[in-house]
């Protein structure tokens, strides 16, 4: 059942070790596989629903698995505990290519950065943290030797996520694609951060060439990536 998932990850250049590090998995194309598995392990119906693993509620006679035929990315809290999931669709026909768990008692996507716990450790040696756009960007960078990367969860960077970045370093790097969408995201992040900038809390910006996406990341060396992701020699705002 997971053959096409393994093929997808292989085509993206992700090694078995990387897949294990990030605990990447697969949700089968079934409406009941996860629900039935968890029930067989004694997990109560209300717990399954509270975690956002099934779609349920008014107008839905029988709950069903939220994630189906998707590559699965566990989402962890700041201490490395799994609190939610993100899923990348394998079928081109689904309306949402990426799908996150809904907000729950444990998970609020605007308050979480993907890979925060690992990146916090890695940034001690790296000297900074890099915020990129998505799961695959983070994972490709980690495989290339840059473990200090994080990403918001499918939304624009929030104030709470900026605070998480500043908890790790006073001058994080926000890295965006150089296309129009990336430029728009960079301006939006700048507008958000401007009122919060103060001595010891600023930002750097790095814009990738529009032609360099996560497919290309695996084709270049870590040294090339480092040059690509190195921000300008001056911070966004000079501190005086």
């Amino acid at each position: 059942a997971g053959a096409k998932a393994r093929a997808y990850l292989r085509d993206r250049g992700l090694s078995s070790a990387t897949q294990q590090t990030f605990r990447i998995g697969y949700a089968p194309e079934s409406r009941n596989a996860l629900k039935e598995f968890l029930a067989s392990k004694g997990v109560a119906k209300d717990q399954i629903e509270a975690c956002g693993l099934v779609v349920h509620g008014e107008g839905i006679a029988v709950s069903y698995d939220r994630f189906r035929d998707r590559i699965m990315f566990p989402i962890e809290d700041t201490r490395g505990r799994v609190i939610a999931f993100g899923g990348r669709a394998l079928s081109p026909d689904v309306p949402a290519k990426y799908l996150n768990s809904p907000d729950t008692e444990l998970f609020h996507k605007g308050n979480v950065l993907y890979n925060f716990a690992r990146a916090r450790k890695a940034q001690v040696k790296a000297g900074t943290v890099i915020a990129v756009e998505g799961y695959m960007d983070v994972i490709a960078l980690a495989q290339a030797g840059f473990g200090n990367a994080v990403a918001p969860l499918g939304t624009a960077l929030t104030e709470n996520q900026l605070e998480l970045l500043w908890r790790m370093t006073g001058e994080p790097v926000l890295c965006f694609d150089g296309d129009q969408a990336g430029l728009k995201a960079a301006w939006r992040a700048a507008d958000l951060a401007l009122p919060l900038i103060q001595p010891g809390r600023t930002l750097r910006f790095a814009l990738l060439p529009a032609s360099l996406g996560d497919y290309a990341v695996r084709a270049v060396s870590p040294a090339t990536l480092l040059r690509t992701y190195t921000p300008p020699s001056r911070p966004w705002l000079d501190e005086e």
Side-chain angles (χ1 to χ4, degrees), residues 111-128:
N111 298 342
V112 178
L113 287 169
Y114 182 70
N115 199 47
F116 178 93
R118 295 183 192 90
R120 179 167 55 180
K121 295 177 182 178
Q123 70 84 27
V124 174
K125 181 178 180 181
T128 191

Side-chain angles (χ1 to χ4, degrees), residues 98-178:
Y98 282 95
L99 179 68
N100 289 323
S101 294
D103 281 0
T104 66
E105 185 177 336
L106 297 176
F107 173 64
H108 300 278
K109 64 182 177 182
N111 298 342
V112 178
L113 287 169
Y114 182 70
N115 199 47
F116 178 93
R118 295 183 192 90
R120 179 167 55 180
K121 295 177 182 178
Q123 70 84 27
V124 174
K125 181 178 180 181
T128 191
V129 63
I130 304 168
V132 292
E133 294 190 39
Y135 311 126
M136 292 301 297
D137 301 313
V138 168
I139 294 168
L141 280 169
Q143 182 166 283
F146 297 90
N148 57 323
V150 297
L153 300 171
T155 61
L157 198 67
T158 67
E159 185 173 328
N160 287 337
Q161 289 168 334
L162 270 177
E163 292 292 341
L164 286 174
L165 290 172
W166 281 324
R167 277 173 57 181
M168 289 188 279
T169 178
E171 197 172 58
V173 179
L174 304 189
C175 183
F176 298 96
D177 291 339

